[in-house]
Structure formats: C-alpha cells, structure tokens
Amino acid sequence: MIKTAPDQHQDIRDAVRALCAGFPAAYHRQTDAQRGYPEAFVDALTKAGWLAALIPQQYGGSGLSLTQASVIMEEINRSGGNSGACHGQMYNMGTLLRHGSSAQKALYLPKIASGEWRLQSMGVTEPGSGSDTTRISTTAVKKGDRYLVNGQKVWISRVQHSDWMILLARTTALAEVRKKSEGMSIFMVDLAQAERNGMTVRPIANMVNHETNELFFENLEIPAENLIGQEGQGFKYILDGLNAERALIAAECIGDGYWFLDRVTSYVSERAVFGRPIGQNQGVQFPIADAFIEVEAANLMRYKACELFDAGQPCGAQANMAKYLAAKASWEAANACIQFHGAFGFANDYDVERKFRETRLYQVAPISTNLIYAYIAEHVLGLPRSF
Ligand SMILES: Cc1cc2nc3c(=O)[nH]c(=O)nc-3n(C[C@H](O)[C@H](O)[C@H](O)COP(=O)(O)OP(=O)(O)OC[C@H]3O[C@@H](n4cnc5c(N)ncnc54)[C@H](O)[C@@H]3O)c2cc1C
C-alpha cells in the first residue's frame, strides 16, 4: 500500500479495513458480474454501526463527525468495494434530522440507525428536467389527510434495497410561485406500500452495478403526516443536505484514487518488458505521480470541507470543490491504472475495469462537473447566473 500522511482517524480506518477484509475482491467481482446487491457486505457495515455514523447517539446512531464518516466511505472504496451500494443510508437521513418533526425523528431515526429500516433512496431527478430541478413536473396534491402523487422520476437508486424513499414533488405549480425554487415539498414514501398503490418501478440497465430505476406514479397516496418540514420548502431542504453528500462522495473518490494508485504502483514495479520493470520508465512514472499529486490535493480539500461542516461553518464552495477535485483525481488515477496494466487492465479478474467504470460515475452524478463550475462561478466568483 502506498504511504500517505498519517491522520487522526487510524482507529476508524483499521476497524473498517478489518471488516472490508472479510469481503475480498472476488466477492465484489462476483456481485458486479451478477449485477447483484452486496447484501452481506451492507449488512455487515450496518450491524457494525458504520452506516449510522451521522445519526446522533440519542437516536441510536454513533454521532460521529462528517470527517469521521468520510473516512468510513473512503476505506470502503479503498478496500475495493463500492460505497455506491449503501452511501444513501448514511446521508439521506440528514434531511429528516434537520427538518423532520420530533415525532418523525423519533419514529424513523432509531430504526434507520439499527438497520431495521433502510432509507437508501432519494427521488429527485426527472427525465424532463434533468439538472434543472426547479422544473420537475411530478405533483403532490393535498386531498384531506393524504397527498396524491402523479408523475415520473428517473435514475432513482437502491429502490429495491430500501424501505423508504425521500421524494421531491411540486405542491404548487411553477407558474404560481414567487421564486422557482419554492413550491416543492419532500415526503417519506413507504416503498413496499407504494408499489402496491400507484408506483411502478422499472430498472435501468447501466454501465456500473448501480441499482437504479425509472419510477412512475399514478395517484400514489401518501399520508399527509409523511410531509417533512413545511410544504413548499422541500427544494431548500434537499440543498441543505448536499454539502455533506458532496464531501462523502469526494471521500469515496479519494478511496478509489488510492486503490488505483496502490494497484498500479505495485503492477509497474513487477511487470518487466524490454528487460526492466515498466515502472522504471519516466513515461510510466510521471502520469502515476501526477495522479497521486492530484489525489493528495483533493484530499486536503475534502478535509477542509469536512472541517468547516463539522464546525457549523458555510462549506458549499469547499464541498463542491472537493467533489470536483476528487472525482477528477480518481478518474486520472483510473486512467493511469488501466493504461499501465496494458491488456490486463481489461481482464475482469484484475478488478481494474470494474473500479474504472465505478469511479467514472462521479463526474456525472450526483452532480455533474459543469454544474459545479456554474456554482463556483456564481456563488464564489460573483459572476452572473448562467441559468
Ligand atoms: C447511476 C446513477 C445513479 C443515480 N442516482 C440518482 C438517485 O438516486 N436519485 C436522483 O434523484 N438522481 C440520481 N441520478 C441522477 C443524477 O443525479 C443526474 O444524472 C445528474 O444530476 C445529471 O442530470 P442529467 O442526467 O439529467 O443530465 P442533464 O441535466 O441532462 O445534463 C447533461 C449534461 O449537460 C450538462 N449541462 C446541463 N445544463 C448545463 C448548463 N446550463 N451549462 C453547462 N452544462 C450543462 C450537464 O453538466 C451534463 O453533463 C443518478 C444517475 C446515475 C447515472
């Protein structure tokens, strides 16, 4: 394993690494080949309490900081696993924690912390609106003590391995609101109940083993008590949770980055062509060194974002920049890794092609690189809003 600067979280690293060691490369490779769900792995992480890291102790969670939680995600990916199968369970509940009523928190959080309930899904993206979330057309109309939901979502992940989903829908038409970010609300949706009562799930086959779906709603009834916070404020509530999500995804990418760097440095040190290890050639060394520098730099921004978040300070710029830098760095490390494995980079048994596919996702989802540029241009540099 390549040497990285020591940090204060070695105890968490060691414990997560020990758990992950029980799920070797062959386990993740087989799960990927079968397009399966790493049920045993996610169960083990849940039972050990790692996915409840951000739930306060009063609700049965571990009450860890975002910095510590990010180390958990980093170690999962660094071990060769993919946090994408379970990261929603760690951060989706943040919306409930910040904006739910005390009754909602008392009902949901202890069961999420224990793993009895999975809140792995968040339904935001729609085919007609894409990144322009304010233009979603799924509606929730109040009828007595229920809301009636109609519309469609796309790319909604882990629905088959979740008990609950947080759903964003319009409760006031776009034409009737003062600001386009108003008039949207979020709801807790009981997924098993919804599938019997107006929600259709259609899986989307995709490049990674990332369980994701189209959802269709036809008069889906949601009890009014499942509304989180105030009606019309849902978009703001979702935005409030994004900084933590960005920092955690950055940590996953950093874990991937170190995994690629571990693999490629060891391979190029051993593989001999033209009578010497290929790693002796500067043409091979330099892209690897370049990727290492980028991963290390991204890591600093990830810690900066987490530190600000944990201190209750604004961290939108740092969380977005960490996600941007880490996704780019892991992709550069992935490219160097596959390139210098030559043909073996394409062999399933080496795991490089699987991790290569997995890490590519993070320049598109959960937020694309261009949208981060737009955020920095507008909110940090004060340039005119571009959309
Ligand atoms: C595997 C996977 C899992 C996902 N899971 C979930 C989930 O669980 N829940 C959920 O709600 N969503 C999920 N998503 C959706 C994801 O969040 C979106 O794909 C992402 O936000 C981009 O939206 P889009 O695909 O509609 O791209 P579009 O908005 O159509 O954009 C396409 C491209 O154009 C660029 N672009 C768009 N507008 C501009 C502009 N003004 N300036 C410059 N560039 C622009 C974008 O950056 C992007 O690269 C998932 C996606 C994937 C692939």
Side-chain angles (χ1 to χ4, degrees):
M1 207 178 244
I2 48 168
K3 286 199 188 80
T4 44
D7 61 23
Q8 303 139 15
H9 310 291
Q10 201 55 47
D11 50 342
I12 295 181
R13 290 189 188 284
D14 290 345
V16 179
R17 262 179 219 177
L19 184 152
C20 292
F23 298 88
Y27 171 83
H28 297 295
R29 196 181 309 141
Q30 197 180 18
T31 309
D32 179 67
Q34 294 169 344
R35 287 294 193 258
Y37 187 77
E39 193 75 59
F41 185 49
V42 175
D43 269 356
L45 288 165
T46 307
K47 287 203 179 92
W50 295 120
L51 299 181
L54 293 173
I55 299 180
Q57 286 178 341
Q58 71 180 110
Y59 298 112
S62 340
L64 299 184
S65 65
L66 185 66
T67 310
Q68 292 167 313
S70 78
V71 171
I72 299 168
M73 293 285 121
E74 178 191 338
E75 287 299 328
I76 291 173
N77 279 38
R78 190 169 184 172
S79 80
N82 179 10
S83 304
C86 57
H87 53 195
Q89 181 76 358
M90 186 183 269
Y91 56 65
N92 283 345
M93 65 80 216
T95 308
L96 205 49
L97 183 63
R98 274 184 306 277
H99 304 289
S101 64
S102 12
Q104 285 173 328
K105 288 192 264 195
L107 172 67
Y108 293 107
L109 293 177
K111 289 188 172 156
I112 296 170
S114 71
E116 184 182 338
W117 279 349
R118 285 184 182 162
L119 174 58
Q120 292 250 48
S121 291
M122 171 90 79
V124 175
T125 307
E126 294 192 5
S129 52
S131 306
D132 189 359
T133 307
T134 58
R135 290 189 188 278
I136 60 167
S137 55
T138 295
T139 53
V141 177
K142 195 156 185 208
K143 292 255 156 60
D145 62 352
R146 331 228 102 205
Y147 282 88
L148 223 52
V149 177
N150 282 286
Q152 187 182 344
K153 296 277 171 190
V154 70
W155 300 110
I156 310 308
S157 303
R158 300 169 296 272
V159 172
Q160 291 85 343
H161 288 86
S162 194
D163 299 290
W164 294 91
M165 169 176 72
I166 294 180
L167 175 73
L168 181 75
R170 268 222 167 268
T171 35
T172 308
L174 188 56
E176 290 166 28
V177 290
R178 221 168 20 97
K179 281 166 67 183
K180 61 183 183 175
S181 55
E182 292 173 353
M184 286 173 275
S185 305
I186 50 171
F187 301 90
M188 290 295 288
V189 176
D190 177 335
L191 286 166
Q193 204 262 343
E195 281 204 68
R196 295 190 296 268
N197 169 40
M199 183 182 82
T200 307
V201 181
R202 195 181 295 159
I204 305 174
N206 66 91
M207 179 172 120
V208 242
N209 181 26
H210 197 110
E211 185 182 272
T212 192
N213 305 278
E214 283 181 285
L215 304 182
F216 302 89
F217 307 107
E218 209 182 323
N219 294 326
L220 168 69
E221 289 187 12
I222 305 178
E225 72 221 30
N226 289 20
L227 172 76
I228 303 176
Q230 275 179 28
E231 191 182 287
Q233 298 300 307
F235 186 59
K236 182 177 152 298
Y237 298 159
I238 299 257
L239 291 184
D240 285 349
L242 292 184
N243 290 337
E245 180 185 303
R246 305 260 192 275
L248 291 172
I249 302 269
E252 292 174 32
C253 292
I254 285 159
D256 280 344
Y258 286 131
W259 185 92
F260 287 118
L261 288 160
D262 282 338
R263 281 304 177 95
V264 72
T265 46
S266 122
Y267 186 79
V268 302
S269 303
E270 283 162 21
R271 169 76 171 162
V273 183
F274 297 110
R276 59 185 188 174
I278 55 174
Q280 202 175 331
N281 301 299
Q282 289 188 335
V284 172
Q285 289 177 357
F286 288 4
I288 300 171
D290 185 45
F292 178 71
I293 293 166
E294 302 247 353
V295 173
E296 289 275 288
N299 206 9
L300 295 178
M301 188 63 82
R302 161 272 190 106
Y303 279 124
K304 183 75 197 165
C306 289
E307 189 188 304
L308 288 168
F309 183 96
D310 288 333
Q313 302 286 323
C315 63
Q318 291 75 14
N320 274 286
M321 290 191 291
K323 154 73 172 58
Y324 165 85
L325 289 169
K328 184 162 168 277
S330 71
W331 179 236
E332 285 179 13
N335 269 308
C337 189
I338 205 162
Q339 188 68 18
F340 298 127
H341 273 77
F344 289 103
F346 294 78
N348 296 355
D349 281 356
Y350 278 68
D351 302 301
V352 174
E353 61 81 33
R354 171 175 62 81
K355 294 286 282 180
F356 180 88
R357 286 182 279 115
E358 287 171 0
T359 216
R360 183 62 182 84
L361 174 66
Y362 295 120
Q363 291 189 66
V364 171
I367 183 175
S368 66
T369 303
N370 277 359
L371 270 283
I372 295 183
Y373 287 142
Y375 176 91
I376 297 297
E378 182 188 340
H379 296 282
V380 180
L381 304 176
L383 295 173
R385 188 173 170 79
S386 61
F387 49 80

